[in-house]
């Protein structure tokens, strides 16, 4: 079987299985199995594949047709231009979450522009860290910018927290692969956390329990339910983190959440009721509410 024949057969099999991006997934899997580049494929598509590669390609196509996520087959997902390992114990990083990272970086930049002496050590806490993609991306790009300005990267320390030991193993592995230092703690939210932080980040479980069964098979059957289930109304973890977060934020500390597209009003309202100021909602590239942030001290601002 040639590369072209294998690809066409794989695409047709995925289309028959109802995979929305069948052509793209068929290509990614061909690239994953054979290492072939697009340029080489265009030049050598009629080249006969090696027998073992043909068998392996059929295997991964069959797995994808069974609605196993592409990232669980390849074991990786790109996020913020960085490669993260993923498995069934962590939520697959999604492009929408990059808005949370970008917002955190914008606020850190404002923080370091302040002419104060309290910048010797910045502590960032990522609650419900999963694969660690949020925290590690923030640390990577914030430290990169500081280094360009001649400031030691040790000025920022990151702490990732998750209730899942398996998730933290993956987060730690991602940190090691990317050569980014962070501390990882198994904790039921703040139960094992001490000290104060300049910034708390979180993409908590926010899908209402009853909605989970309506999601695509790739999500409801393969993403960890622990990372999806936001209890009855989807707001359970926001309430807990917002309430407890006041104890763990330094004066002027900022809290930032990823939210579901219909949760901006409710999360903003609760932040305000709990004494946070400068509450703001940021939209994603599709124009949907995606990030809510606030400051827990009306006397101190990043502006």
């Amino acid at each position: 079987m040639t590369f072209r024949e294998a690809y066409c057969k794989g695409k047709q099999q995925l289309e028959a299985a109802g995979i929305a991006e069948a052509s793209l997934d068929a290509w990614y899997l061909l690239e994953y199995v054979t290492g072939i580049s697009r340029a080489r494929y265009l030049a050598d598509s009629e080249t006969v594949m090696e027998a073992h590669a043909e068998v392996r390609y059929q295997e991964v196509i069959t797995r994808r047709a069974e609605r196993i996520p592409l990232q669980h087959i390849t074991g990786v997902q790109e996020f913020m231009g960085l490669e993260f390992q993923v498995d069934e114990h962590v939520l697959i990083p999604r492009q929408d979450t990059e808005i949370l990272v970008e917002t955190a970086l914008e606020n850190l930049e404002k923080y370091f522009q302040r002419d104060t002496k309290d910048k010797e050590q910045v502590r960032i806490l990522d609650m419900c860290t999963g694969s660690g993609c949020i925290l590690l991306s923030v640390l990577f790009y914030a430290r990169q910018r500081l280094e360009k300005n001649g400031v030691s990267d040790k000025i920022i320390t990151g702490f990732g927290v998750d209730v899942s030991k398996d998730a933290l193993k993956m987060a730690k592995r991602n940190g090691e692969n990317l050569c980014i230092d962070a501390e990882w703690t198994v904790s039921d939210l703040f139960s094992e956390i001490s000290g104060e932080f300049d910034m708390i980040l979180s993409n908590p479980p926010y899908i209402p329990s009853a909605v989970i069964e309506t999601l695509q098979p790739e999500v409801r059957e393969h993403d960890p339910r622990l990372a999806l289930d936001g209890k009855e109304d989807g707001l359970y973890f926001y309430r807990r983190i917002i309430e407890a977060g006041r104890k763990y934020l330094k004066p002027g500390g900022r809290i930032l959440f990823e939210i579901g597209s219909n949760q901006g009003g409710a999360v903003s309202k609760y932040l305000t009721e709990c004494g946070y100021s400068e509450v703001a909602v940021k939209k994603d590239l599709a124009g949907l509410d995606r990030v809510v942030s606030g400051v827990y001290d009306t006397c101190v601002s990043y502006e």
Side-chain angles (χ1 to χ4, degrees):
M1 184 178 295
T2 65
F3 284 114
R4 185 183 62 80
E5 289 171 338
Y7 168 71
C8 291
K9 181 180 177 182
K11 182 179 71 170
Q12 291 169 359
Q13 188 172 339
L14 295 185
E15 287 173 342
I19 303 299
E21 297 184 331
S23 60
L24 194 59
D25 285 7
W27 166 254
Y28 282 143
L29 291 172
L30 184 65
E31 186 179 43
Y32 167 67
V33 169
T34 67
I36 192 172
S37 66
R38 287 189 179 274
R40 186 188 163 201
Y41 176 81
L42 291 173
D44 300 328
S45 62
E46 298 303 322
T47 299
V48 176
M49 291 176 64
E50 295 183 6
H52 69 88
E54 183 180 331
V55 171
R56 177 62 178 146
Y57 184 60
Q58 183 56 53
E59 288 175 351
V60 297
I61 285 291
T62 298
R63 292 185 69 200
R64 184 68 187 99
E66 293 170 349
R67 308 306 288 266
I68 295 173
L70 176 72
Q71 297 86 347
H72 286 182
I73 298 171
T74 64
V76 296
Q77 171 64 28
E78 182 181 317
F79 179 82
M80 289 296 297
L82 305 173
E83 186 175 275
F84 290 89
Q85 291 188 7
V86 295
D87 63 12
E88 70 275 12
H89 300 298
V90 299
L91 196 67
I92 296 169
R94 289 166 170 80
Q95 187 176 16
D96 288 340
T97 305
E98 293 185 356
I99 306 298
L100 176 59
V101 173
E102 291 166 357
T103 306
L105 290 170
E106 289 169 4
N107 283 285
L108 283 172
E109 190 167 341
K110 293 178 184 178
Y111 179 84
F112 284 108
Q113 289 173 352
R114 291 168 55 193
D115 186 19
T116 63
K117 296 181 179 180
D118 62 353
K119 298 181 293 187
E120 294 181 358
Q121 189 63 258
V122 175
R123 289 162 53 90
I124 301 174
L125 176 66
D126 180 22
M127 186 64 63
C128 309
T129 193
S131 68
C133 67
I134 295 171
L135 178 63
L136 293 172
S137 297
V138 170
L139 293 176
F140 177 84
Y141 288 107
R143 289 173 175 175
Q144 187 180 73
R145 294 175 189 180
L146 288 172
E147 187 176 350
K148 287 181 179 179
N149 294 327
V151 181
S152 170
D153 65 358
K154 298 301 182 184
I155 200 169
I156 300 181
T157 55
F159 303 81
V161 172
D162 205 289
V163 71
S164 168
K165 293 181 181 179
D166 291 320
L168 285 181
K169 288 179 182 177
M170 184 60 71
K172 183 178 180 180
R173 187 183 307 165
N174 280 322
E176 292 171 348
N177 291 342
L178 294 166
C179 299
I180 303 173
D181 293 330
E183 296 186 24
W184 311 101
T185 302
V186 177
S187 179
D188 181 1
L189 298 184
F190 294 95
S191 65
E192 304 300 321
I193 301 303
S194 60
E196 294 182 323
F197 300 87
D198 298 272
M199 181 177 286
I200 296 176
L201 306 170
S202 186
N203 177 18
Y206 61 69
I207 300 175
S209 302
V211 175
I212 292 176
E213 293 306 316
T214 70
L215 301 176
Q216 291 182 329
E218 287 89 341
V219 177
R220 71 170 185 263
E221 296 175 11
H222 298 284
D223 271 339
R225 193 178 184 95
L226 199 63
L228 298 173
D229 195 346
K231 309 297 183 182
E232 184 176 0
D233 62 358
L235 301 172
Y236 173 81
F237 291 99
Y238 294 113
R239 288 191 287 265
R240 287 191 61 188
I241 295 170
I242 288 169
E243 291 171 7
R246 296 174 293 187
K247 177 182 175 182
Y248 295 92
L249 282 170
K250 294 180 183 178
R254 189 174 292 270
I255 192 166
L256 300 94
F257 293 104
E258 177 174 336
I259 57 168
S261 59
N262 63 345
Q263 295 173 324
V267 176
S268 296
K269 182 173 183 291
Y270 201 65
L271 280 166
T272 301
E273 290 174 350
C274 288
Y276 292 80
S277 63
E278 301 181 38
V279 176
V281 179
K282 188 170 183 178
K283 296 184 182 298
D284 59 23
L285 296 177
L288 302 174
D289 290 351
R290 187 56 57 190
V291 171
V292 175
S293 62
V295 174
Y296 189 63
D297 191 318
T298 56
C299 298
V300 182
S301 170
Y302 287 125
E303 300 293 334

